[in-house]
Amino acid sequence: MSFQWPEMLWLYAAIPLLVAAYFYALGRKKKLALRYASLTLVKEAMGVGQKWRRHIPPLLFLLALAVMIAAIARPQAVVTLPSQHETVILAMDVSGSMRATDVEPNRLVAAQNAAKAFIADQPENVRIGVVAFAGTATVAQAPTRNREDVIAAIDRFQLQRATAIGSAIIVSLATIFPDAGYDVATFMYGAENEKKGPKPQPATKPVPPGSYNAAVIILLTDGQRTTGPDTIAAARLAAERGVRIYTVGVGTPDGKIVGFEGWSMHVRLDEETLKTVADVTRGEYFYAGNAMDLKKIYESLKTKFVLETKKTEITALFSAVAAALALVSGLLSMLWFNRIL
């Protein structure tokens, strides 16, 4: 546990002074008790239990003060709480290489099955959107809470040529922030458009990477960028908006020849780029070498999005405990002695 205002802990120096004042007050009461004709009668009237009872309310009140001082210092602790993510964007590669069978039955079907299992386990309040990308990126399903619509969008995937990972990130950002003015063409053809006058870029004040908790992007691909905007530049846009990108790499880092209907191509998983994307946006990179790995990855992501472990301020908890102790102290004092402390 840590404190945002640790200097306030100096208030604990007042606790010994309060204890000394309490014992001083007890000493004065003893002097006043000497005026009674018989101290024996007073002691018998109080009883042994009564002697200890009178110290319990002040002790509870002192504990309440100690806890309240800790609350003033604004304590923080690493706790596991329900995730605040309201929107999850699944950006999925539908390039021709996804028909490779090194991940059974093939990469695309394995990715679809794992994604659908992930979707089924998300809380009802989470909106899920789907972005499909190959040579271009399109919104296959706008963010919705209707799980049937999301699954239907994933089932409609059609394989295409090329891989535009940067486009997928920009379209995902445009889906999360529809009024921000994100346009793939602006970032892809910016140099050419400078002759006609540069197009306006989204004017937003950068925030710390990973600080936007309302939405995340899960980017799944089996290849490397062959067209579209630069992948890392697109990732920096996401970082400026605080959006985390969790990248999932499916395929072979060394490359593989994939053939279909008389043509063939060499595809290679660009792990370094995917790791950089995850690092820049404060996300995480996962490698899936087979269908079981892919399933485990989505299960891990499900856990991250449903329950999130992070440093959280727990001042309210300390304040509630302090209030409860003070209340119990006052009630016991009223019940036993008809007075408050």
Side-chain angles (χ1 to χ4, degrees):
M1 188 171 66
S2 60
F3 297 91
Q4 292 189 49
W5 295 348
E7 59 273 11
M8 293 298 178
L9 296 177
W10 282 104
L11 293 173
Y12 276 117
I15 298 295
L17 297 178
L18 293 174
V19 174
Y22 176 70
F23 282 109
Y24 174 76
L26 288 179
R28 291 200 53 168
K29 286 183 179 180
K30 287 182 179 180
K31 290 180 180 180
L32 292 175
L34 293 175
R35 298 177 184 177
Y36 285 94
S38 176
L39 290 177
T40 304
L41 294 175
V42 175
K43 290 180 181 180
E44 289 179 354
M46 291 181 62
V48 178
Q50 195 78 353
K51 289 181 182 179
W52 286 104
R53 269 187 183 182
R54 62 176 180 167
H55 298 302
I56 293 177
L59 177 61
L60 290 176
F61 187 75
L62 191 67
L63 287 174
L65 285 178
V67 176
M68 183 57 70
I69 291 173
I72 293 173
R74 298 183 64 183
Q76 292 180 313
V78 177
V79 295
T80 300
L81 298 171
S83 173
Q84 297 177 351
H85 300 312
E86 299 173 358
T87 304
V88 176
I89 302 297
L90 295 176
M92 301 183 66
D93 190 343
V94 293
S95 59
S97 57
M98 289 290 286
R99 63 170 50 89
T101 57
D102 53 346
V103 178
E104 295 181 354
N106 63 47
R107 295 176 182 176
L108 180 62
V109 174
Q112 288 173 312
N113 292 338
K116 286 187 282 188
F118 169 80
I119 292 166
D121 289 332
Q122 287 299 297
E124 293 182 358
N125 64 307
V126 175
R127 300 188 308 148
I128 300 176
V130 180
V131 171
F133 69 95
T136 59
T138 58
V139 179
Q141 175 60 57
T144 178
R145 294 185 178 89
N146 190 318
R147 302 299 186 249
E148 293 180 358
D149 289 348
V150 179
I151 291 173
I154 292 175
D155 287 335
R156 289 195 301 265
F157 283 166
Q158 296 291 326
L159 296 179
Q160 304 170 32
R161 294 189 179 185
T163 304
I165 300 175
S167 296
I169 295 174
I170 294 172
V171 171
S172 297
L173 287 174
T175 304
I176 297 171
F177 307 106
D179 299 325
Y182 288 107
D183 180 17
V184 173
T186 300
F187 297 96
M188 185 174 179
Y189 305 113
E192 297 178 8
N193 288 329
E194 285 179 0
K195 298 177 183 178
K196 303 177 182 179
K199 289 186 178 181
Q201 300 290 328
T204 57
K205 184 178 180 181
V207 299
S211 61
Y212 186 75
N213 294 322
V216 293
I217 298 171
I218 301 176
L219 175 68
L220 183 145
T221 181
D222 72 337
Q224 58 187 148
R225 166 183 169 264
T226 60
T227 187
D230 180 71
T231 304
I232 304 304
R236 291 196 180 100
L237 290 175
E240 289 176 359
R241 296 304 298 257
V243 178
R244 296 177 188 267
I245 301 178
Y246 292 86
T247 56
V248 181
V250 182
T252 55
D254 296 331
K256 183 179 180 65
I257 302 296
V258 178
F260 182 71
E261 294 183 350
W263 59 270
S264 63
M265 60 180 176
H266 181 268
V267 293
R268 182 179 69 84
L269 177 62
D270 188 358
E271 282 195 294
E272 289 304 315
T273 297
L274 295 181
K275 289 177 181 178
T276 303
V277 169
D279 183 61
V280 167
T281 61
R282 302 299 186 269
E284 192 172 348
Y285 169 72
F286 301 90
Y287 172 68
N290 53 56
M292 187 58 66
D293 287 346
L294 193 55
K295 182 179 178 182
K296 290 180 179 178
I297 289 168
Y298 273 98
E299 288 178 352
S300 174
L301 288 170
K302 176 193 69 176
T303 303
K304 286 179 180 292
F305 296 157
V306 174
L307 294 175
E308 197 171 33
T309 300
K310 60 181 179 180
K311 183 176 284 189
T312 304
E313 185 174 347
I314 53 175
T315 300
L317 177 61
F318 274 69
S319 299
V321 172
L325 288 171
L327 180 62
V328 172
S329 173
L331 290 175
L332 290 179
S333 185
M334 288 290 293
L335 182 63
W336 291 340
F337 311 112
N338 292 323
R339 59 185 174 84
I340 300 179
L341 299 181

